[in-house]
């Protein structure tokens, strides 16, 4: 501020000082770097691709999954969430995945005939799963038939060996 300035000269000096401070602040911010190391761009993006453009949700999710290291859990969830797409509609109608632990997938079939059929198709099912989901997500299949009722417990259970004089 000039010494002895008054009135309009003082107002002009204050305004010039404020403009100079603002100009210094904007030139300092223009090259600002974000926390992830990329330069922050200002203004309109203009024609052509730009990181500030709206991104498809799938691309953003893929980037997040890779950044967090969630590829393996996401692939395992795909086995359960997209079972019909992974193994085909006919197999999916007659079976369902139950548990995936340490690369071993337990599948429950709707009938014992389908359980036998799935055991015969186990090699091709593993190939289809690897093609759709990724390699080494499922390494082994355990195929079970439907759970049969247990006669060892319940209201009609007889203790002991039961009557042995039926036939003789």
């Amino acid at each position: 501020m000039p010494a002895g300035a008054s009135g309009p000269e003082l107002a002009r000096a204050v305004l010039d000082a404020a403009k100079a401070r603002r100009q210094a602040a904007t030139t300092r911010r223009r090259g600002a770097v974000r926390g992830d190391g990329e330069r922050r761009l200002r203004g309109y993006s203009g024609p052509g691709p730009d990181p500030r453009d709206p991104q498809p949700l799938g691309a953003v999710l893929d980037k997040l999954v890779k950044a967090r290291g969630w590829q393996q859990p996401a692939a395992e969830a795909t086995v359960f969430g997209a079972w019909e797409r992974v193994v085909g509609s006919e197999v999916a109608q007659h079976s369902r995945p139950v548990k995936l632990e340490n690369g071993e997938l337990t599948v429950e079939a709707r009938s014992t005939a389908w359980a036998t059929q799935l055991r015969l198709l186990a090699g091709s099912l593993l190939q289809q799963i690897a093609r759709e989901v990724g390699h080494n997500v499922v390494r082994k299949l355990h195929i079970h038939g439907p759970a049969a009722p247990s006669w060892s417990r319940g209201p009609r259970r007889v203790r002991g060996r039961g009557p042995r004089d039926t036939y003789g």
Side-chain angles (χ1 to χ4, degrees):
M1 303 282 164
S6 65
E9 293 91 24
L10 181 60
R12 174 59 61 193
V14 169
L15 182 62
D16 289 340
K19 281 184 179 179
R21 274 196 311 260
R22 178 169 172 117
Q23 183 65 28
T26 57
T27 56
R28 204 175 0 184
R29 267 190 263 142
R30 217 164 270 234
V33 177
R34 294 189 326 203
D36 57 359
E38 291 184 27
R39 287 189 148 300
R40 185 176 66 214
L41 303 172
R42 302 189 65 82
Y44 292 107
S45 65
D50 190 274
R52 294 173 293 174
D53 290 341
Q55 301 294 317
L57 184 61
V60 173
L61 285 176
D62 287 342
K63 194 174 182 182
L64 177 69
V65 165
K66 285 180 183 175
R68 301 282 173 121
W70 293 341
Q71 291 98 337
Q72 185 73 15
E76 291 173 359
T78 303
V79 171
F80 291 94
W83 180 246
E84 185 173 351
R85 189 191 73 204
V86 171
V87 296
S89 62
E90 187 175 2
V91 173
Q93 287 176 355
H94 299 285
S95 66
R96 68 183 182 93
V98 178
K99 173 175 80 170
L100 177 60
E101 207 170 70
N102 300 327
E104 297 181 4
L105 178 65
T106 303
V107 177
E108 184 178 286
R110 186 170 288 193
S111 66
T112 53
W114 267 100
T116 304
Q117 185 68 23
L118 291 176
R119 285 185 194 106
L120 293 173
L121 293 173
S124 64
L125 286 176
L126 282 173
Q127 288 176 351
Q128 283 179 323
I129 292 170
R131 199 175 321 121
E132 288 288 327
V133 178
H135 295 286
N136 293 327
V137 175
V138 176
R139 293 185 298 275
K140 189 174 181 182
L141 286 177
H142 295 286
I143 300 170
H144 300 290
S150 172
W151 300 111
S152 63
R153 294 189 180 92
R156 295 187 174 41
R157 167 76 173 125
V158 176
R159 292 196 178 271
R161 291 173 35 132
R164 297 285 177 219
D165 61 348
T166 307
Y167 295 107

